[in-house]
Amino acid sequence: MRDQNAGTRRRKLGASFAVLALILAACQGGGAGDYPNQPITIVVPFAAGGPTDTVTRLIAEPMAADLGVEIVVQNVEGAGGTVAADQVANAEPDGYTVLMHHIGMSTAPTLYPDLSYDPLADFATIGLVTEVPMTFIGSPNFEPTTMEELITYVEENLDTVTYANAGIGAASQLCGLLFETATGLDLTEVPYEGTGPAMDDLLGDQVDFMCDQTTNTSEPILAGEVKAYAVTTPERVESLPDVPTTEEVGLTDLQVSVWHGLYVPAETPQEIVDALNAALVVAIQDEGVVTRLAELGTAPVPEDRATPEAHTELLQSQIDLWRPIIEEAGVTGS
Ligand code: MLT
């Protein structure tokens, strides 16, 4: 005799299996609902001890506390930050691999015509973190003591003066390019894996000068360990009151500050982006973070800029801003 209820039982059994599969996936971390349930890695595209690393480690602590999991900072150096960005673009879109990057995210597409990723299409933005002024500094025994003297000295010693940067795509490389454009001088560049190691060599008089973020230069400037020639923002930096602006020393068009933001791979679920953004907002309001960044010549962005929308908008506008300047200078990394 035909079982009239067999179809209903099969459907019920199927539904039970589907529910079981969902529970299992959630237990294994397969769903966004239980995110995060394991350590998160923030990939930093430059060497440990440098300015990007410093900002990342500062915000990692309050973010970890908010998310309730450990955050591991991993330095993946190379090719001006593009090796790290490529790694994160190809990571699982599960929120456990996050990229911290800076202004270099916007210069890379022009500097590297064969770039393996698209900064806009291959990433989801989490939000902006901070904007950092840059400073021109010289090694302890480098002769020039002012920007005027520096320009004259470089002009007269073009073959021997060395300029440190963190590779093509680094903020220090962009700042050097702006210096070249403003002065008409062609610098002899010495590339490092980050301005952390570049600073070590500069302090040891192995390289002559560089333009680097105040998050790396404030302490040696205030300790009188390096020469400080100018800060690259329209206004002087509060914590470095004796350092003139580029405008004050006659380099009117040489202005740049280094914005930082967090990214995950493009396919990352929205709930994960929201969780990371909420943790970022907590971090930029953290008293310890605010105080330390002020000591280092900067501040977190206001909350309305720590959003995916503000971040994407800035990234797009900066790609458009830097493209003609880089093309005009004829610099390329590939
Ligand atoms: C770093 O962390 O080393 C940098 O941000 C270097 C740079 O971009 O100049």
Side-chain angles (χ1 to χ4, degrees), residues 44-55 57 75 77 102 134 137 164-167 170-173 190-207 210-220 225-226:
V44 170
F46 297 100
T52 318
D53 186 69
T54 296
V55 170
R57 286 176 201 272
N75 300 86
E77 304 94 342
H102 64 20
M134 301 191 82
I137 58 167
N165 69 25
S172 44
Q173 178 261 330
V190 182
Y192 291 82
E193 301 282 26
T195 51
M199 179 65 84
D200 292 340
D201 271 9
L202 188 129
L203 288 168
D205 281 309
Q206 283 155 294
V207 67
M210 72 172 165
C211 174
D212 191 20
Q213 297 156 70
T214 57
T215 35
N216 202 37
T217 62
S218 289
E219 287 178 344
E225 293 169 347
V226 295

Side-chain angles (χ1 to χ4, degrees), residues 131-135 212-215 231-233 237 256-258 297-298:
E131 243 177 300
V132 187
M134 301 191 82
T135 42
D212 191 20
Q213 297 156 70
T214 57
T215 35
V231 59
T232 62
T233 41
V237 171
V256 60
S257 45
V258 183
T298 186

Side-chain angles (χ1 to χ4, degrees), residues 145-180:
T145 57
T146 64
M147 180 58 87
E148 199 184 355
E149 286 175 20
L150 173 71
I151 294 169
T152 308
Y153 189 88
V154 175
E155 204 168 3
E156 289 171 356
N157 300 277
L158 260 190
D159 294 342
T160 53
V161 171
T162 48
Y163 175 81
N165 69 25
I168 294 181
S172 44
Q173 178 261 330
L174 179 65
C175 191
L177 184 154
L178 297 178
F179 180 85
E180 290 184 321

Side-chain angles (χ1 to χ4, degrees), residues 2-273:
R2 198 162 163 250
D3 183 352
Q4 303 284 338
N5 296 323
T8 312
R9 279 203 303 276
R10 268 198 304 276
R11 275 195 297 280
K12 279 187 177 164
L13 202 61
S16 306
F17 276 129
V19 169
L20 196 63
L22 279 174
I23 293 169
L24 275 175
C27 290
Q28 288 163 357
D34 66 340
Y35 176 83
N37 63 8
Q38 64 184 64
I40 295 169
T41 298
I42 302 187
V43 177
V44 170
F46 297 100
T52 318
D53 186 69
T54 296
V55 170
T56 308
R57 286 176 201 272
L58 256 182
I59 63 158
E61 216 178 295
M63 282 186 76
D66 182 69
L67 290 162
V69 293
E70 191 190 346
I71 292 186
V72 178
V73 175
Q74 184 190 16
N75 300 86
V76 178
E77 304 94 342
T82 60
V83 173
D86 175 66
Q87 179 176 310
V88 177
N90 290 296
E92 281 298 314
D94 57 8
Y96 292 105
T97 309
V98 178
L99 174 70
M100 166 69 96
H101 210 324
H102 64 20
I103 195 167
M105 197 71 163
S106 66
T107 57
T110 313
L111 289 167
Y112 293 90
D114 301 328
L115 201 63
S116 59
Y117 57 86
D118 179 332
L120 286 160
D122 293 335
F123 294 91
T125 50
I126 301 296
L128 297 167
V129 180
T130 180
E131 243 177 300
V132 187
M134 301 191 82
T135 42
F136 281 92
I137 58 167
S139 62
N141 289 310
F142 191 41
E143 214 175 286
T145 57
T146 64
M147 180 58 87
E148 199 184 355
E149 286 175 20
L150 173 71
I151 294 169
T152 308
Y153 189 88
V154 175
E155 204 168 3
E156 289 171 356
N157 300 277
L158 260 190
D159 294 342
T160 53
V161 171
T162 48
Y163 175 81
N165 69 25
I168 294 181
S172 44
Q173 178 261 330
L174 179 65
C175 191
L177 184 154
L178 297 178
F179 180 85
E180 290 184 321
T181 306
T183 60
L185 299 168
D186 192 9
L187 297 173
T188 301
E189 297 171 46
V190 182
Y192 291 82
E193 301 282 26
T195 51
M199 179 65 84
D200 292 340
D201 271 9
L202 188 129
L203 288 168
D205 281 309
Q206 283 155 294
V207 67
D208 295 323
F209 80 112
M210 72 172 165
C211 174
D212 191 20
Q213 297 156 70
T214 57
T215 35
N216 202 37
T217 62
S218 289
E219 287 178 344
I221 289 174
L222 291 170
E225 293 169 347
V226 295
K227 311 253 166 52
Y229 303 119
V231 59
T232 62
T233 41
E235 307 291 332
R236 288 193 183 202
V237 171
E238 209 176 307
S239 57
L240 300 170
D242 299 333
V243 184
T245 66
T246 36
E247 185 166 6
E248 284 176 71
V249 297
L251 299 174
T252 316
D253 294 332
L254 203 169
Q255 288 184 358
V256 60
S257 45
V258 183
W259 53 274
H260 297 67
L262 294 175
Y263 304 79
V264 284
E267 303 304 323
T268 306
Q270 188 58 45
E271 306 93 277
I272 292 178
V273 170

